[in-house]
Each structure stands twice: as structure tokens, then as C-alpha cells.
Amino acid sequence: KQEVTQIPAALSVPEGENLVLNCSFTDSAIYNLQWFRQDPGKGLTSLLLIQSSQREQTSGRLNASLDKSSGRSTLYIAASQPGDSATYLCAVRPSNFGNEKLTFGTGTRLTIIP
Amino acid sequence: DGGITQSPKYLFRKEGQNVTLSCEQNLNHDAMYWYRQDPGQGLRLIYYSQIVNDFQKGDIAEGYSVSREKKESFPLTVTSAQKNPTAFYLCASSIDPGSGYEQYFGPGTRLTVT
């Protein structure tokens, strides 16, 4: 059974710093991995999706990497801003065709200190 | 504007009553999903539907029911059989269940049962 872990559960950093969020998964047979952002009391916003054949994806100040063989992904946020404060979740999709079940981590709650 | 709408944002019910949560999308997506989110836990899949008039149980389907009569709509009923229904419920959709496209989420409904 796939398990997804995100450590730490909470992280506080001063504004302007670069930071890395971690996501690890136990079964490397994945189709893709998706990073989401969730603001308090809101739904999830998709940030980046990495297919299993890819090593990384970039969007603005965000860069997500994937090392499938070691079961790890990182989300790098450059030049952090207070508006980046949110909970960040990763989710993996298994590689068997037609299986839509994402397995989610419990998230890292990020606070950017002005 | 294309997107996923969930209503209501907050819902209060007495124990023993069934309640239906609405989810509508105008993205022309084939697949739709219902998740439950509890504090300290990752999102858990309740039901999903890959096509109209078809749906499958997720990991925690007991005490819930769904229907998919229209492509745009995927309502979730929380029945009195659900032992612990108070939670944040999230609806999602994706373009094609077999393609690995990313999932998009609605704003969520917070259900409180007393």
C-alpha cells in the first residue's frame, strides 16, 4: 500500500529565503506526482505535476523535482514571500492504467515571516 | 469562468439526518471525485466517477452515496450510517481518467453534524 510522507509538518522561514519542501513515497511505481497548495478553509490549487518520466517541472518561483527510484520529490520555492504562506501537499498516482486513486501526504504548513 | 463549484460552503445538520453536498463543474471533464479531509490526515477518497452513470467506491465509501446522471454534476449524500461525518469535503475533476492529467479541486464544503 502506497504511503506518502511530508516532513516537516510545519516550517517557518523569514521572507526572501529560498526553501525546500520534501515529499517521500514508499512505492516507486507511480504514474505522476502532483504538488498542491491549500489556504486555510479553502480547496486545493494545483501547482505542478511531474510525470514519472520527468526529472523536474518549473513554474515561476517554484521548481519541483522527482527521483522515482528513491521515492522522493522536493518543491523548491525561491525568494519566499508572505503570500506563499499555506499548506503544501503532494500526491502520487499509481502507474497501473486507469487507476485514478491519488494518495496524499498530510502536508507541510509553511509560514513566511515578514 | 471555468471551474468547480461546491455548495454550500458551510453545512450544519443534526445527527441522524441525511445531507447532500453539491458539486458542479463546467470544465467538460470526464472524471470527478469526492475526498474527505480531516485535521492531521491526508485527503481520503470517498467515491469517484470516470464517466456518466458509472462510479466506483474509494477507500472510505461506507456511509456515503453518489450519483452521476450528468457529466457536470456529482452530488454526494452523507447518510446517517456515516459514523463520523463532520469533516471538510472536497470535490475534484480531471479531463480523462486514463491520461494522467492533473486533478482540479473545488473550494470545499465544511459539514458539521451535532
Side-chain angles (χ1 to χ4, degrees):
Chain A
K1 182 189 170 187
Q2 178 74 272
E3 292 183 5
V4 179
T5 303
Q6 293 184 250
I7 295 173
L11 180 67
S12 295
V13 300
E15 180 179 0
E17 285 200 0
N18 303 326
L19 61 100
V20 173
L21 304 179
N22 298 299
C23 172
S24 60
F25 46 95
T26 54
D27 186 349
S28 62
I30 67 168
Y31 191 88
N32 59 38
L33 183 145
Q34 198 168 352
W35 280 95
F36 296 89
R37 168 191 173 129
Q38 185 176 31
D39 293 290
K42 307 283 188 185
L44 277 63
T45 300
S46 180
L47 297 174
L48 290 163
L49 181 143
I50 311 178
Q51 301 293 352
S52 61
S53 58
Q54 298 174 317
R55 284 288 200 163
E56 62 179 69
Q57 281 283 356
T58 298
S59 175
R61 294 182 294 108
L62 306 179
N63 176 279
S65 68
L66 175 64
D67 184 342
K68 202 173 71 161
S69 61
S70 68
R72 294 183 185 208
S73 176
T74 62
L75 179 66
Y76 174 84
I77 302 177
S80 59
Q81 303 170 358
D84 295 330
S85 296
T87 296
Y88 290 80
L89 299 118
C90 65
V92 298
R93 185 194 159 193
S95 58
N96 45 320
F97 179 78
N99 187 340
E100 280 299 288
K101 294 185 183 183
L102 296 183
T103 301
F104 284 81
T106 52
T108 295
R109 188 173 69 253
L110 176 66
T111 302
I112 305 299
I113 305 164
Chain B
D1 267 339
I4 303 172
T5 56
Q6 291 186 244
S7 61
K9 187 176 173 72
Y10 298 97
L11 192 53
F12 298 89
R13 280 293 182 270
K14 295 285 188 189
E15 205 171 298
Q17 293 179 335
N18 292 354
V19 59
T20 297
L21 283 59
S22 168
C23 178
E24 305 276 332
Q25 55 99 359
N26 61 3
L27 300 168
N28 200 33
H29 285 177
D30 288 309
M32 296 185 75
Y33 315 82
W34 274 106
Y35 293 91
R36 171 184 171 133
Q37 187 176 35
D38 296 281
Q41 297 195 40
L43 272 72
R44 292 181 290 168
L45 182 65
I46 304 171
Y47 268 98
Y48 65 106
S49 168
Q50 296 179 324
I51 197 168
V52 174
N53 293 324
D54 187 47
F55 48 83
Q56 288 81 40
K57 292 182 180 180
D59 299 319
I60 54 165
E62 186 176 348
Y64 300 97
S65 66
V66 294
S67 62
R68 186 89 186 274
E69 297 175 2
K70 297 187 299 182
K71 188 175 186 178
E72 305 79 25
S73 178
F74 191 40
L76 173 75
T77 296
V78 184
T79 74
S80 56
Q82 168 48 233
K83 291 182 173 31
N84 188 16
T86 294
F88 190 50
Y89 290 88
L90 288 159
C91 177
S93 70
S94 64
I95 294 174
D96 178 342
S99 64
Y101 280 94
E102 59 195 301
Q103 291 192 10
Y104 295 87
F105 281 76
T109 292
R110 185 166 298 281
L111 173 65
T112 303
V113 177
T114 57

